[in-house]
Amino acid sequence: QQQVKQSPQSLIVQKGGISIINCAYENTAFDYFPWYQQFPGKGPALLIAIRPDVSEKKEGRFTISFNKSAKQFSLHIMDSQPGDSATYFCAAGVGDDKIIFGKGTRLHILP
Amino acid sequence: KAGVTQTPRYLIKTRGQQVTLSCSPISGHRSVSWYQQTPGQGLQFLFEYFSETQRNKGNFPGRFSGRQFSNSRSEMNVSTLELGDSALYLCASSAAGTRNNEQFFGPGTRLTVL
């Protein structure tokens, strides 16, 4: 019940296309859903985060869509660029101070 | 403001040995969390320290332990190393805790157990 399931494991998108990564959770107590971006040799960095009282949040080319009833949330990267090639992690906050991460999606944008 | 620093960046140990990893959080941050990252399991939460007290713990055996000092610096210790402990160990700091507060990750320590 504490798991966050992320798909796909890897994704290849043409430059200019839309990259979509999906996550699903079971624990309805989750109330904080961040996305992290990780480049090789670096630690993850917070990209964008959403709370369940909002169905969508947009920051530049990055959008989180949240479906509370389906217990799913997704990251959309519009106009994907080669510089977006990285590993993306969804996560969910539960309890007092604990975050559960998905297993990651390796995204590759073709130039 | 300096970011989260971790030392050493790379470490090679043999089975049965023990290892200590160090993490210096961003100045003013009181919470430090540790994660194990492996290709198969992703990021797994080890524990979180806040004001020198362990506040949260993940599902790892007792061989994994940590502590936090009064200056918020944290160390993680793994005793009796096993091959499966080979991983990237990340620490993250935040102002007040992982929930609802942005976590800032360090570059990690790559541990290889032979």
Side-chain angles (χ1 to χ4, degrees):
Chain A
Q1 206 184 16
Q2 295 283 60
Q3 280 187 331
V4 176
K5 294 183 180 179
Q6 184 171 347
S7 64
Q9 217 172 353
S10 62
L11 182 61
I12 299 174
V13 174
Q14 289 282 352
K15 178 183 174 183
I18 303 173
S19 304
I20 302 174
I21 303 170
N22 300 299
C23 286
Y25 63 96
E26 289 294 324
N27 189 348
T28 54
F30 286 141
D31 65 353
Y32 175 61
F33 301 89
W35 283 87
Y36 283 82
Q37 179 188 55
Q38 185 179 29
F39 293 106
K42 305 280 187 185
L46 181 67
L47 191 62
I48 185 172
I50 197 169
R51 300 193 187 283
D53 54 344
V54 175
S55 62
E56 186 176 281
K57 183 174 181 180
K58 193 173 186 177
E59 286 186 7
R61 297 183 294 108
F62 300 89
T63 300
I64 300 179
S65 298
F66 186 83
N67 186 330
K68 190 174 181 178
S69 60
K71 291 185 282 186
Q72 294 175 348
F73 57 112
S74 59
L75 176 70
H76 291 63
I77 306 174
M78 314 299 287
D79 186 26
S80 299
Q81 300 296 312
D84 297 330
S85 297
T87 299
Y88 292 81
F89 294 92
C90 63
V94 61
D96 284 334
D97 288 304
K98 187 173 178 178
I99 287 184
I100 311 295
F101 283 83
K103 292 193 176 182
T105 296
R106 188 173 287 185
L107 173 65
H108 182 65
I109 307 300
L110 296 172
Chain B
K1 221 177 202 182
V4 177
T5 58
Q6 291 186 248
T7 57
R9 289 294 310 278
Y10 302 91
L11 208 47
I12 299 175
K13 293 284 187 179
T14 56
R15 277 183 302 173
Q17 286 187 309
Q18 76 163 23
V19 66
T20 299
L21 313 181
S22 181
C23 172
S24 292
I26 290 172
S27 177
H29 284 190
R30 296 165 64 189
S31 168
V32 173
S33 297
W34 288 90
Y35 295 86
Q36 181 193 66
Q37 184 176 14
T38 57
Q41 296 301 317
L43 278 155
Q44 292 189 287
F45 176 79
L46 280 153
F47 30 66
E48 184 218 355
Y49 285 86
F50 183 83
S51 294
E52 301 179 65
T53 301
Q54 188 181 87
R55 191 158 65 169
N56 277 287
K57 191 177 189 305
N59 297 322
F60 277 81
R63 299 185 297 108
F64 292 81
S65 63
R67 60 178 175 168
Q68 187 179 32
F69 302 95
S70 58
N71 62 358
S72 293
R73 190 177 69 86
S74 178
E75 286 183 346
M76 190 192 98
N77 186 75
V78 187
S79 62
T80 320
L81 284 166
E82 300 176 1
L83 295 178
D85 296 333
S86 294
L88 181 68
Y89 290 89
L90 293 158
C91 84
S93 77
S94 65
T98 58
R99 187 188 191 211
N100 302 331
N101 286 282
E102 180 176 355
Q103 286 187 285
F104 295 84
F105 282 84
T109 293
R110 172 76 61 185
L111 172 64
T112 302
V113 182
L114 303 175

